[in-house]
Amino acid sequence: MPARSYVPKPREVPGAPLIALLGVAFAVLIGTSFAAWRSVRELNAVADRRDAISRYAEDVTNLQATLQDFVVSGRTFAITDDPADLRATERLSAAALDALDRLRDNALGVSSAARIAAVEQSLDSLNARLMRVQSAGPGAAGVARDIVRSPAGSQRIRGIFAEVDTLRADAAAARDAAAERAAALRRNLGLWIPLVASIALVMGGIVLVLLRVQSEARAEDLQRFRAIFDNTFQFIGLLDTEGTLLEANSTALSFGGFGAEAVIGRPFWEAPWWSASPETQTQLRASIARAAAGEFVRYQVEVVGAAGRRITIDFSLKPVLAPDGRVRFLVPEGRDITDVQAAERALAEAEERWNVALTGSDLGVWDWSAPTGEVFFSDRWKSMLGYAPQEIGNRLDEWSSRVHPDDLPATLAAVQEHLDGKTPFYLSIHRVRAKDGSYREILDRGKVITRTPDGRPLRVIGTHQDVTEQRQAEAAARQLQQQLSALLRFSPSLIAVIDRDGRYLQASASIAAAIGRTQQEIVGRRISEILPADTAATFQNRLTQVFGSGRPLDVEDSVGPA
């Protein structure tokens, strides 16, 4: 079955739907505010245009008044023939042209350029005629009368006034259009402004709800943090860079047997936890200074709890950095390792006893990782074959390549049977080649101590014992037994092996015949059961003498059945 990997579910952002709704409302608010701003801007532009149109209309009125004064002055000169009136008429003509230039420059699209050009052309024509009046000399009054009083002249003047009236009408129409546009824009603003205000109120409500949701989320996060902070089995706190304790979890406070008010806001090294010795407090102050400089500090130290209880903790100080890289806080953390240290001491003692036992028993140890093929061979395992520790590696073939070729198949078969779970342990006696080329008889024992869930071996541990001398002694004993058996069977001498209690252990065929019993009837029985009583007593005394002195005794005696 394939393994499943755990993928943590992303945490939901508090108020995410409200944030989305707020974003939509903000986008609508931006759109409506922009539209309202454009309306206000256009309304201001329309107001400016209305002011410009009013000034334009005023300029048209001034032009019309100047033209009327011009006509009156011209008619006066035509009657009086006074040079002063002529000069006044010339000034008024120039003023009319100047007024027309201002109209052309400030037309703002109110009147078309063609209309202004027509007025200008008419004024230029009238002014040219005026120049003729100036150069006419004594007959100038007659020329002036022809210009301003003749039917043709009157018609030209009426045409100029009609054209100026057209400019006035243009100004009035433009002013009315601007007023209508301004009214329309005000109506639009009457719609946009309440809409913007409504959206702003909706956004304000959303913000208030979102703030409440986020406040509740922060409160929940704080509650979760306190649950973890206070219920962890480790001692955890929070310091500022001066070493003042800001927070301490319930585990640490419970161990000390006091409340938060006893330690919060005070120098950390003055807390009762550190009262084991002045050296402990000095070491802590120095460690806080190092951590405040940005260094992670860790060491083992003894601390004091309620009722004077003392434990050893694995203590550390970790600096917490601000975004600008400066150390902002320090996080002290302690883990009780008293039991761990006790277990380590017990393990060390057990290992020492194991090593003593191995050394005393003269055993070599091997530890085989079946999946990797790596094997740990103890120094005694190597020296047993005459090798120094560095002369043998950690691969399985360091052993298998030295097993006698005649013994290797059976030995590997025994190993495989145990790996397959067919035997409770592995046991083999085989020959292993030593450094000097000789073969040593090795008693090899081992057992699988760890398997996978499906039964495959992971770790196998065993021992090597050199039984070369023992095997040689066993072979010599077998040979001696064979020789003794032959002697007891074929020797004509009366031979027996008797223990201290007078019990027959071995008896030759010749002694069985002399006593009148079979060898099977003699072996295992006492002398008193085989020989006559007086003979048995005498023989028993002699046995006692021999066992007591440890020296042989030569005697002559007769033997017969009891």
Side-chain angles (χ1 to χ4, degrees):
M1 183 176 181
R4 295 181 179 179
S5 59
Y6 173 71
V7 179
K9 182 180 179 181
R11 184 181 177 186
E12 183 178 348
V13 178
L18 290 175
I19 293 176
L21 181 59
L22 183 63
V24 173
F26 182 74
V28 174
L29 178 63
I30 292 296
T32 54
S33 298
F34 181 72
W37 173 79
R38 288 185 59 185
S39 296
V40 171
R41 184 179 178 185
E42 186 177 354
L43 183 60
N44 292 333
V46 169
D48 293 340
R49 180 171 175 80
R50 288 182 62 188
D51 292 341
I53 292 172
S54 297
R55 290 192 297 272
Y56 178 80
E58 184 178 350
D59 290 340
V60 172
T61 300
N62 292 335
L63 174 61
Q64 191 174 31
T66 302
L67 288 175
Q68 289 176 347
D69 292 342
F70 168 75
V71 172
V72 171
S73 178
R75 287 177 176 174
T76 301
F77 172 71
I79 296 172
T80 63
D81 198 16
D82 187 351
D85 292 333
L86 177 60
R87 288 193 294 273
T89 303
E90 292 173 352
R91 287 195 300 272
L92 290 172
S93 176
L97 290 173
D98 289 340
L100 188 61
D101 287 339
R102 288 195 299 273
L103 282 178
R104 183 174 54 249
D105 294 338
N106 300 319
L108 299 174
V110 175
S111 298
S112 65
R115 288 183 177 179
I116 294 176
V119 175
E120 184 177 16
Q121 184 177 0
S122 298
L123 283 177
D124 286 341
S125 176
L126 186 61
N127 193 49
R129 286 179 171 79
L130 185 63
M131 292 300 102
R132 286 170 51 200
V133 172
Q134 188 175 8
S135 60
V143 176
R145 283 193 295 273
D146 180 63
I147 293 174
V148 298
R149 297 181 65 87
S150 66
S154 297
Q155 184 176 1
R156 283 195 293 272
I157 291 173
R158 286 194 297 273
I160 291 174
F161 277 105
E163 290 171 351
V164 173
D165 287 338
T166 302
L167 298 181
R168 182 192 293 275
D170 289 342
R175 186 168 52 246
D176 293 341
E180 291 178 2
R181 181 57 182 164
L185 290 173
R186 290 191 185 93
R187 287 193 298 273
N188 289 340
L189 282 175
L191 297 176
W192 288 123
I193 292 176
L195 180 59
V196 170
S198 299
I199 295 174
L201 288 175
V202 171
M203 288 182 64
I206 295 174
V207 169
L208 290 176
V209 175
L210 182 60
L211 289 175
R212 187 180 66 186
V213 170
Q214 291 184 339
S215 177
E216 293 174 352
R218 283 194 297 269
E220 183 179 355
D221 288 342
L222 180 59
Q223 185 178 5
R224 290 177 180 174
F225 166 75
R226 295 302 310 189
I228 297 173
F229 184 72
D230 287 332
N231 291 287
T232 180
F233 72 93
Q234 299 184 147
F235 307 144
I236 302 177
L238 185 67
L239 308 176
D240 63 17
T241 54
E242 299 297 324
T244 302
L245 184 62
L246 305 177
E247 289 283 353
N249 70 342
S250 297
T251 306
L253 297 174
S254 299
F255 169 74
F258 44 75
E261 67 281 354
V263 289
I264 298 300
R266 300 183 180 182
F268 192 35
W269 54 85
E270 294 181 1
W273 299 302
W274 308 100
S275 61
S277 68
E279 292 76 15
T280 300
Q281 295 174 328
T282 301
Q283 182 184 22
L284 177 60
R285 292 189 69 172
S287 299
I288 289 174
R290 290 165 54 195
E295 179 183 352
F296 174 74
V297 182
R298 181 178 181 183
Y299 60 94
Q300 294 180 4
V301 64
E302 186 180 73
V303 293
V304 181
R309 179 191 174 196
R310 297 190 176 215
I311 63 172
T312 301
I313 63 172
D314 179 9
F315 178 70
S316 65
L317 282 166
K318 183 177 182 181
V320 178
L321 303 181
D324 60 3
R326 292 181 299 130
V327 177
R328 184 70 179 87
F329 299 106
L330 304 179
V331 177
E333 182 178 356
R335 181 170 58 91
D336 185 0
I337 59 172
T338 306
D339 294 339
V340 174
Q341 287 187 328
E344 289 176 348
R345 287 193 297 269
L347 178 60
E349 292 172 359
E351 288 181 348
E352 183 179 3
R353 289 193 296 269
W354 171 248
N355 290 330
V356 170
L358 289 177
T359 303
S361 61
D362 199 30
L363 295 176
V365 177
W366 50 268
D367 188 341
W368 174 28
S369 173
T372 64
E374 293 185 356
V375 185
F376 164 78
F377 298 105
S378 69
D379 291 349
R380 180 59 190 132
W381 191 99
K382 299 172 184 178
S383 65
M384 192 179 295
L385 301 176
Y387 290 97
Q390 69 276 9
E391 292 183 304
I392 290 184
N394 61 348
R395 303 301 301 177
L396 185 62
D397 58 5
E398 295 282 5
W399 163 76
S400 59
S401 64
R402 291 178 171 84
V403 177
H404 195 286
D406 295 342
D407 299 342
L408 185 59
T411 302
L412 293 179
V415 171
Q416 191 60 49
E417 284 186 354
H418 178 59
L419 296 181
D420 293 340
K422 297 178 180 178
T423 57
F425 53 85
Y426 155 68
L427 177 65
S428 172
I429 297 178
H430 50 266
R431 291 165 289 177
V432 180
R433 186 177 68 255
K435 184 177 181 180
D436 60 6
S438 65
Y439 280 92
R440 309 295 293 177
E441 293 272 355
I442 300 296
L443 173 59
D444 194 11
R445 289 171 287 198
K447 183 176 179 62
V448 176
I449 63 170
T450 308
R451 293 183 182 271
T452 62
D454 58 357
R456 289 176 296 158
L458 291 176
R459 187 180 180 191
V460 191
I461 296 180
T463 60
H464 262 203
Q465 182 179 2
D466 188 348
V467 294
T468 304
E469 286 74 14
Q470 179 183 341
R471 298 276 286 182
Q472 291 174 350
E474 290 174 353
R478 285 194 299 272
Q479 184 178 4
L480 182 60
Q481 181 63 37
Q482 292 173 356
Q483 293 173 352
L484 178 59
S485 297
L487 180 63
L488 293 174
R489 182 177 181 184
F490 299 109
S491 175
S493 300
L494 303 181
I495 302 173
V497 179
I498 305 172
D499 64 14
R500 184 185 294 271
D501 296 329
R503 192 183 304 276
Y504 284 96
L505 301 179
Q506 297 284 345
S508 65
S510 57
I511 198 172
I515 295 174
R517 305 260 186 131
T518 64
Q519 289 175 299
Q520 291 77 12
E521 292 174 334
I522 296 173
V523 173
R525 302 179 69 179
R526 295 180 182 275
I527 297 174
S528 58
E529 297 176 298
I530 300 300
L531 299 178
D534 55 344
T535 304
T538 300
F539 201 82
Q540 184 66 50
N541 290 334
R542 291 172 180 169
L543 283 177
T544 303
Q545 183 180 355
V546 170
F547 280 112
S549 64
R551 294 192 300 270
L553 178 65
D554 294 329
V555 296
E556 292 184 3
D557 206 347
S558 60
V559 178

